Amino acid sequence: MNLVDKDLQSVQEVRLLLAKAKEAQKKLAVLTQSQINDITKAVCEATYKERVRLAKLAHEETGFGKWEDKVLKKCVLHQNKFYAHMKDMKTVGVINDDRVNKVMEVAVPVGVIAGLVPSTNPTSTVIFKSLIALKAANSIVFSPHPTAIKCIGETVKIIRKALKGIGAPEDAVSYMTMPTMEGTAELMKSKNTDLILATGGSAMVKAAYSSGTPALGVGPGNGPAYIERSADVKLAVKRIIDSKTFDNGTICASEQSIIAETVNKDAILKELEAQAHTF
C-alpha cells in the first residue's frame, strides 16, 4: 500500500529513521573512548572544511543573518572553546574512579536523541547537536525547520559521509526529509526516542516539554543587558551592539534591551548615538 498523505508519509519516515538510529546507537555503545573521539574529530574536520558553503546555503535558503558571520560561528564551534573543551572529555565507560571516597562514575549513553532545528541557526545547530550526541555515543534524528531543510540536509549528508569514511554507522545521524507537525510529534513521542534537544520558538519548546519524553529546550532569549553604574559605558555599549548585530541578531542570546541606572542613563544614550555608525 502506497501512502499518499504527506502527514502519514512523514510519520512513517520518522519510524524508519528511529529504527535505524536505534541500531546505529547499539554499535556506538560498544566503542571505546578513543574510537568515539576519532568519530567526533572526523565530523568536526569534515564540517569545518565546508563552513563557507554551509554558511552561504543557510543564508540563501532562509534569508536570515549574514553568511560571513555564520562562517565565524562555525569557526568558534570547531576551532575555539567548544571543540577544545569537549575533545579530551571522558564520556564513555568509567569516567572517574575516586578510590578514597569509594565512588565510581560510569558514563552511559542515553540512546536515540530527537534534534529539533530552527531556521535562524540551522547548520550550526545540526553540527553542534551531532557532535555532543556522538561524543556521548548517542545517535540523533533531526526534525528540520521546513524553511531550512536544504541546508540542514546538506549538513547531515556531510556528517554521514564523515561517519562512513571512518567506519562508523551512518545512521547515527539522520534527518526527516518530509517534516510535518505530525511527523515531528511522532519523533518526540516515540518509544524509540530517549531524549529531545529542542531549539526554536516557544510553542515548539513547549511541545517538546509536553511530549512525555525527557527534553532540554532552548527558546527565544529576549535577554536584557544591565549596565551597572561602575561599568565602562563605552565598552559595554560596544559589546552589546556587537552581540545584537552579529548575524543580524539571529542568536537567541543576543541582547534585546538595555537596563540602565539613573546615574548613567544619559551617558549610555549618548554612547549609543555615538556608536550608531557601527551598525
Side-chain angles (χ1 to χ4, degrees), residues 87-231:
K87 68 184 183 71
D88 296 321
M89 185 182 295
K90 292 182 179 180
T91 55
V92 174
V94 178
I95 60 175
N96 187 42
D97 188 2
D98 187 342
R99 299 296 180 88
V100 176
N101 295 305
K102 297 181 180 180
V103 176
M104 179 184 288
E105 297 178 57
V106 181
V108 179
V110 70
V112 179
I113 298 173
L116 277 57
V117 187
S119 57
T120 47
N121 298 287
T123 54
S124 295
T125 301
V126 168
I127 295 168
F128 171 73
K129 290 185 177 180
S130 294
L131 285 171
I132 61 174
L134 293 168
K135 179 66 175 178
N138 300 303
S139 58
I140 187 165
V141 178
F142 289 105
S143 170
H145 193 284
T147 63
I149 190 169
K150 291 181 181 178
C151 61
I152 289 171
E154 190 60 30
T155 307
V156 171
K157 289 176 184 176
I158 292 168
I159 294 171
R160 288 173 64 89
K161 184 178 179 180
L163 291 173
K164 184 178 181 180
I166 200 170
E170 290 179 80
D171 292 324
V173 180
S174 58
Y175 77 109
M176 298 167 59
T177 63
M178 194 178 297
T180 66
M181 292 182 66
E182 288 74 11
T184 301
E186 176 69 18
L187 177 64
M188 292 192 293
K189 296 178 181 180
S190 172
K191 64 180 181 180
N192 286 327
T193 299
D194 300 292
L195 177 70
I196 302 170
L197 296 180
T199 308
S202 298
M204 186 269 281
V205 173
K206 183 178 180 181
Y209 281 128
S210 304
S211 67
T213 302
L216 297 172
V218 179
N222 294 324
Y226 170 45
I227 303 181
E228 200 264 346
R229 64 181 64 199
S230 65

Side-chain angles (χ1 to χ4, degrees), residues 16-66:
L16 292 173
L17 290 174
L18 286 173
K20 292 180 179 179
K22 191 170 184 177
E23 291 304 310
Q25 195 279 321
K26 290 179 182 177
K27 297 177 182 178
L28 292 177
V30 298
L31 298 181
T32 65
Q33 184 69 70
S34 178
Q35 290 172 313
I36 289 293
N37 290 348
D38 288 343
I39 288 173
T40 53
K41 181 181 179 182
V43 170
C44 188
E45 290 178 347
T47 50
Y48 179 72
K49 288 178 182 178
E50 298 282 1
R51 64 194 182 281
V52 174
R53 185 168 70 91
L54 290 177
K56 289 182 177 180
L57 282 174
H59 174 67
E60 290 169 3
E61 185 176 9
T62 67
F64 291 139
K66 308 172 187 175

